[in-house]
Amino acid sequence: MTSVLKCIHCGREYPINAVMYTCADCGGLLDVRHDLDALRGRVSRALFDERLGTLEAPFNSGVWRYKELIYPDVNAAQIVTRGEGNTNLYPVPKLAKWAGVGTLYLKHEGENPTGSFKDRGMTSGVTQARALGMTRVACASTGNTSASMAAYASMAEMEGIVFFQNKQIALGKLSQAIAYGATCVQINADFDRNMELVRQVAERLGVYVLNSVNPFRLEGQKAIIFETLQQLRWRVPDWIVCPGGNLGNSSAFGKALHELHALGLIERIPRVAIVQAEGANPLYRAYQNGFARFERVKAQTVATAIKIGNPVNYAKAVRTLEWTNGVVEQVSDQEIMDAKALIDAQGIGCEPASACSLAGTRKLVARGVIQPDETVVGILTGHLLKDPDATISYHSGTLEHIRARYPNRLHQAEPNLDEIVGILTAAERT
Ligand code: F0G
């Protein structure tokens, strides 16, 4: 049984060990295509359930537990893993009520080892880099990809190379990438330009690209869906709602659901809703015109992770929408930050981009797209500790163009007992 790379546009196939990201003939995106017929007898819910609770790598990973659906032929000894995944699926009845929906769960991918879902894609991407004998891997990043790639590259004893923009970079993420030992280059350009540059530099220097244009990244990210369904005891929700930036996750989700359905592991396919920030909404715009044309935008949003105007996985995201009868929504920065404040105040917390899932759910319910009695799983893609400036500015009322509807004001005091007690008794009354 062998997997192949296959162009999603013209169908041309390439060997699995070809170092390429797009089709040599037509430029289309490539899928990792597994032999589903051969897998049919080999995978079952019971197989994946049996592996739950194992302490042994690789099956203790929330990605490699589903190895047959991620990369069936890879030698287990090659796998570069930090036991990623195994993230919580939180029932959040109060937020469900706020959004106007019967049942809402939040799947917290910020609980991954480096603080975002990227670890799921990096374990598979870096494993392939190792299988190919690569010594250097590279990515452009708004933050999370860099931290994740840097960690996994170091584990695999490869050099990680990161292209950051030099403005508004999340310092925690830059510090992770530097600390893990990656070569970090700050470039006077936005994410979209850095994405183009990293592909050109990688080609010139023979470096392996680990952005989500790399199809092996998406194979690992499919496990967000596998794990969610397993946590729901394989009961299929009505909706999966996620933020959309470079559109890797949404692309992976469609493929995961398509494969699970083809293999008979789920009886029906949930609908996927992709939520973009208003200021970084090229997919939303294309969706509005029935995908007649795609135009890149100059991205601007408080949600730094999804400040992307020219998503590389556009065509795969459109395929997800077709496969899942999906929809696209957009939300304002105001809506993102308010939804984030509510998720944070539950004691769960997430970064701004992740809050698109909740803000988008509420909007889709209000528009009558999601029905009040339906079950929704929202994906929280990153950790609360990313973009702390946005969080603190929101609560202190200094975030530009945003009026905090759910503020938790920061108090200041002199080291004076009466003053401190005064603040706390006043706070009690409000
Ligand atoms: N949420 C978070 C927290 C992210 O870091 C990203 C992407 C997204 C959502 C968008 O996901 O691209 O799959 O649609 N961050 C990238 C990075 C671009 O460099 O860390 P997508």
Side-chain angles (χ1 to χ4, degrees):
M1 182 178 61
T2 45
S3 306
V4 294
L5 294 175
K6 184 168 181 177
C7 175
I8 70 161
H9 187 64
C10 74
R12 181 168 168 193
E13 292 188 3
Y14 301 89
I16 197 70
N17 58 359
V19 180
M20 56 198 307
Y21 320 98
T22 48
C23 179
D25 279 349
C26 73
L29 293 168
L30 301 178
D31 260 345
V32 177
R33 202 58 82 90
H34 307 302
D35 183 348
L36 294 187
D37 290 331
L39 282 175
R40 205 154 276 131
R42 282 181 55 195
V43 292
S44 62
R45 295 174 179 182
L47 172 73
F48 302 136
D49 287 349
E50 259 166 45
R51 290 177 183 163
L52 277 176
T54 182
L55 299 174
E56 309 296 323
F59 295 136
N60 63 351
S61 152
V63 171
W64 297 103
R65 178 178 310 131
Y66 315 97
K67 178 174 182 289
E68 291 77 2
L69 305 181
I70 305 287
Y71 200 168
D73 294 331
V74 79
N75 181 341
Q78 301 265 24
I79 292 176
V80 185
T81 175
R82 286 189 60 182
E84 50 289 310
N86 296 309
T87 59
N88 282 294
L89 181 70
Y90 295 100
V92 281
K94 277 192 189 157
L95 299 179
K97 200 161 171 232
W98 181 78
V101 77
T103 309
L104 177 66
Y105 296 93
L106 293 177
K107 173 79 171 150
H108 206 327
E109 288 299 300
E111 294 173 350
N112 271 289
T114 73
S116 80
F117 70 88
K118 306 287 180 179
D119 295 340
R120 296 202 189 242
M122 283 306 162
T123 186
S124 50
V126 173
T127 293
Q128 177 65 1
R130 180 186 263 174
L132 293 169
M134 293 288 165
T135 55
R136 293 199 286 180
V137 292
C139 67
S141 182
T142 58
N144 285 317
T145 305
S146 71
S148 182
M149 191 195 73
Y152 283 80
S154 290
M155 282 196 88
E157 297 183 15
M158 293 173 198
E159 184 193 6
I161 300 169
V162 182
F163 287 10
F164 280 112
Q165 59 193 26
N166 61 357
K167 289 187 206 91
Q168 293 175 322
I169 181 73
L171 278 185
K173 290 289 150 180
L174 177 60
S175 71
Q176 270 180 298
I178 289 181
Y180 290 132
T183 303
C184 298
V185 189
Q186 280 198 306
I187 300 173
N188 185 18
D190 64 8
F191 172 84
D192 296 302
R193 179 71 187 121
N194 279 341
M195 189 65 239
E196 290 164 0
L197 285 168
V198 84
R199 289 172 75 172
Q200 289 163 2
V201 170
E203 168 115 38
R204 174 123 26 125
L205 298 180
V207 176
Y208 196 52
V209 176
L210 280 176
N211 281 100
S212 56
V213 68
N214 183 318
F216 289 91
R217 275 273 315 271
L218 303 192
E219 289 308 293
Q221 288 170 218
K222 290 188 314 190
I224 298 173
I225 294 295
F226 301 155
E227 197 175 89
T228 299
L229 283 160
Q230 190 169 28
Q231 286 168 311
L232 290 172
R233 308 282 187 273
W234 304 101
R235 282 191 298 266
V236 179
D238 298 300
W239 290 90
I240 309 271
V241 185
C242 67
N246 224 3
L247 304 177
N249 256 345
S250 38
S251 299
F253 293 1
K255 187 167 187 283
L257 292 166
H258 189 72
E259 289 171 354
L260 285 179
H261 192 248
L263 290 166
L265 291 165
I266 54 174
E267 303 84 44
R268 65 183 175 88
I269 293 185
R271 299 178 73 182
V272 171
I274 306 173
V275 184
Q276 294 205 295
E278 266 176 20
N281 63 353
L283 179 71
Y284 178 79
R285 285 170 185 235
Y287 173 73
Q288 292 296 96
N289 68 43
F291 302 115
R293 58 181 187 282
F294 171 84
E295 280 167 24
R296 62 190 288 172
V297 304
K298 181 95 187 115
Q300 189 51 50
T301 167
V302 69
T304 56
I306 52 172
K307 209 175 114 187
I308 296 173
N310 189 23
V312 293
N313 287 301
Y314 170 73
K316 284 186 179 173
V318 173
R319 184 177 69 170
T320 289
L321 294 166
E322 284 164 10
W323 274 344
T324 70
N325 188 22
V327 300
V328 186
E329 185 53 276
Q330 65 172 357
V331 290
S332 65
D333 282 0
Q334 175 77 53
E335 289 167 320
I336 288 173
M337 290 309 291
D338 284 332
K340 171 179 151 56
L342 291 173
I343 296 166
D344 293 352
Q346 290 289 299
I348 294 174
C350 64
E351 71 168 275
S354 308
C356 284
S357 298
L358 178 62
T361 298
R362 180 171 151 104
K363 212 158 174 181
L364 288 164
V365 174
R367 288 209 294 109
V369 178
I370 296 181
Q371 301 307 312
D373 60 347
E374 289 186 311
T375 297
V376 177
V377 174
I379 310 298
L380 302 181
T381 44
H383 199 278
L384 166 65
L385 289 176
K386 170 118 180 277
D387 300 324
D389 291 349
T391 305
I392 295 168
S393 316
Y394 174 88
H395 287 290
S396 36
T398 56
L399 200 54
E400 233 182 307
H401 310 304
I402 287 180
R403 192 181 60 80
R405 292 208 176 88
Y406 308 101
N408 177 20
R409 298 251 181 262
L410 174 64
H411 302 282
Q412 308 284 345
E414 292 303 316
N416 173 303
L417 188 60
D418 288 340
E419 187 184 342
I420 296 169
V421 169
I423 289 172
L424 296 181
T425 40
E428 252 171 38
R429 281 198 301 273
T430 52

